Amino acid sequence: MNSIDNENIYSILVVDDELNNLHLLSEILSEKHYKIRRAINGSIALKSVQVILPDLILLDINLPDITGYEVCERLKSNPATQHIPIIFISALNETLDKVKAFSVGAVDYISKPFEVAEVIARIDNQLALQSARVEVQHLNSVLEQRVVERTTQLAIANQSLQQEMAERQQAQEQLVHLLLHDPLTNLPNLAGMATALEQAISRVAQQSPEPFALILLDCDRFQLVNNSLGHEAGDQILIEMSQRLKNCLPPDACVARLGGDEFMVLLNTIESDATVEQVIARIRQALVPPFRLAAQDIFVSASMGVVLGTSDYTHPQNLLRDADTAMYRAKRLGLAQHQIFAPEMHHQAQVQLHLETDLRQAIDHEYLRLHYQPILSLKTGQITGFEALVRWQHPIKGMVSPAAFIPIAEETGLIIPIGLWVLKEACQQLKRWQQEFPQQTGLKISVNCSIRQFLDPHLIEQIDQIIKDTGIEGASLNLEITESALMENANRTADLLWQLKSRNIQLAIDDFGTGYSSLSYLHRLPVDTLKVDQSFIRQLLVADSSSGRPGLNQNFRIVQSTINLAHDLDLDVVAEGIELPEQLEALKSLNCDFGQGYFWAKPLEAQAAGNLLRQQYSAQIENRLGLKV
Ligand code: C2E
Ligand code: MG
Ligand code: MG
């Protein structure tokens, strides 16, 4: 060990009261390039240490003022000096208490007289140890520092990990929420209700005394809201609707939006069917107040299909299927209806489905036919036109009546291609008759139109094209629309009606008397003819219950006032369903303009209908020639 280590000169404090020793040691050590300071007693030594800290102290035990042990103890008890290695020096004749020396903190001792080499070796040794200690301390503190830094880094990393995990958790929860909820209303969606449905099913499977019920609710004619007011308005209504539903349901019920205008309500416990009826009544009540949009109040009703949860159900999809079937049935009954599922509905639903598939094929395979029923003037007895009535020539079922398939065609939209075909076919047939019987001037064809056709933006251009292709007059085409369909859509169809009017196309209100419309309102529309519904004609002459006399019953009076009012408003009246001569006579006496019914002819194939025209022509000729009286 050299006193110059890493360019540091070690300083040594030599404490000895014997001056010879002091000089000798100083000299030896100075030669070895140690920086030497000296002290001749304990007090000086302690003061010197306070001024400059030595790297090592050679300390004599026997000092005149305080003993080396005490000096050592004091230095060791002071944190600033306790690390300085102290080597005791003692004369051979002095008794060195080695145990005490070490116990007060000395690191070594040297006996006098000393060997120079030994002194140097022991000093070097201690300095090396000290330097190693310092190095270890330094390394320790560096290590500690590193540990602190790494701990801080770890804490930061841990914190950001925690944050990231929390964010991920949140994102995951959001994702799950999105998957299970409808974004518009924030109600659960079908997936969100799956667990509740499964639980309800398993409760009933475990013989729970409390059954449950599922209500499927579909807004009536909501497409009209969307189409006329826009989807934003539709969305507003759906949001408010979800609130109203939530507020009116019992606390243990859950409500979900399945999409579009369809909602689902799960009644977790019901005491009896009456509970379901009560809830349905509450839902209806909740929908009674109009939905207030900026521009107007909208009234929304709903159709509902109900399924009662029995132990037959093992899967939610079966519940939904049956609720859907019941809802579909409710829809067919009209607006704001509900139906509770019964197993036989299944069969009917399947029949419907088949019918729909078959109907598509009927259009593709040209299985549709038109029959024609004559319409006669009650004043002249002459055929003035025909009503075209569609039939379906089913390859297996035979002739299917329009009552059986027109409603399905309307629901599925198939009425658009069917209606177009009917229009074309009927106009072509009229043209053929006009060519064959040119003397039958003013012959008209009446074609039934569904409201869906009236709402189809292509209808006008299609009619224009048909009129152009066939070359018939607009005035010889008479479109029939039912009173109820027209009244429900009066605002939306008014424009179309005027466009038809500008082409001289005639408009008849079919099944008049069943749709609760007011004649004065109808008069504002370009209507030409009223067709009094056959239910009134059938009952026309039924004896009045109070007087027992025909002619005084309510239907008679209704028909009478309808005809009078219609004439006041310049409308023609056609009586539908005349079967009996008495009915004909009664209608003639009421001044009814036209008639149609089995009394003259059932709807006939084109050829047979044409024969009627031919006969009429022959009769006219015979009349003119005076052959017949
Ligand atoms: P509608 O337009 O009121 O047609 C009159 C219906 O009454 C026809 O039934 C006709 O056969 C029947 N009828 C006529 N005279 C008598 C009678 O004296 N007694 C009885 N009991 N019935 C009589 P059909 O042909 O079964 O048509 C039923 C309904 O189907 C039609 O009622 C019409 O609303 C609809 N329809 C028929 N063809 C078409 C069509 O091409 N398009 C549309 N959208 N609907 C059609
Ligand atoms: Mg008709
Ligand atoms: Mg009718």
Side-chain angles (χ1 to χ4, degrees), residues 447-466:
V447 177
N448 293 285
C449 280
S450 144
I451 186 65
R452 281 193 75 153
Q453 289 173 267
F454 267 56
L455 298 175
D456 178 10
H458 305 296
L459 183 69
I460 279 287
E461 75 193 62
Q462 285 168 345
I463 290 179
D464 284 345
Q465 190 63 44
I466 291 169

Side-chain angles (χ1 to χ4, degrees), residues 13-23 25 37-42 45 58-64 89-91 94 112 114:
L13 174 66
V14 183
V15 188
D16 204 327
D17 59 335
E18 281 182 35
L19 292 178
N20 286 344
N21 272 347
L22 202 58
H23 285 306
L25 280 168
R37 286 191 297 123
R38 286 168 282 212
I40 52 166
N41 59 35
L58 285 177
L59 182 59
D60 188 16
I61 290 174
N62 279 327
L63 292 171
I89 305 174
S90 72
E94 295 162 358
K112 290 189 249 183
F114 41 72

Side-chain angles (χ1 to χ4, degrees), residues 387-389 446-449 480-482 510-511 531 576 596:
E387 175 173 7
L389 293 155
S446 295
V447 177
N448 293 285
C449 280
E480 294 189 5
I481 180 149
T482 62
D510 208 349
D511 304 345
K531 294 190 80 173
E576 294 187 291
Q596 180 183 355

Side-chain angles (χ1 to χ4, degrees), residues 370 373 387-391 401-403 405-406 410 415 418-419 422-423 447-451 453 480 482 510-511 531 533-534 538 576-579 583 596-599 601-603:
L370 279 190
Q373 189 176 32
E387 175 173 7
L389 293 155
V390 70
R391 269 94 186 93
S401 113
F405 68 89
I406 291 289
E410 285 182 339
I415 194 68
I418 291 177
V422 170
L423 263 168
V447 177
N448 293 285
C449 280
S450 144
I451 186 65
Q453 289 173 267
E480 294 189 5
T482 62
D510 208 349
D511 304 345
K531 294 190 80 173
D533 189 64
Q534 49 181 279
R538 206 176 302 130
E576 294 187 291
I578 303 177
E579 294 185 356
Q583 291 166 340
Q596 180 183 355
Y598 294 173
F599 174 74
K602 288 195 169 181

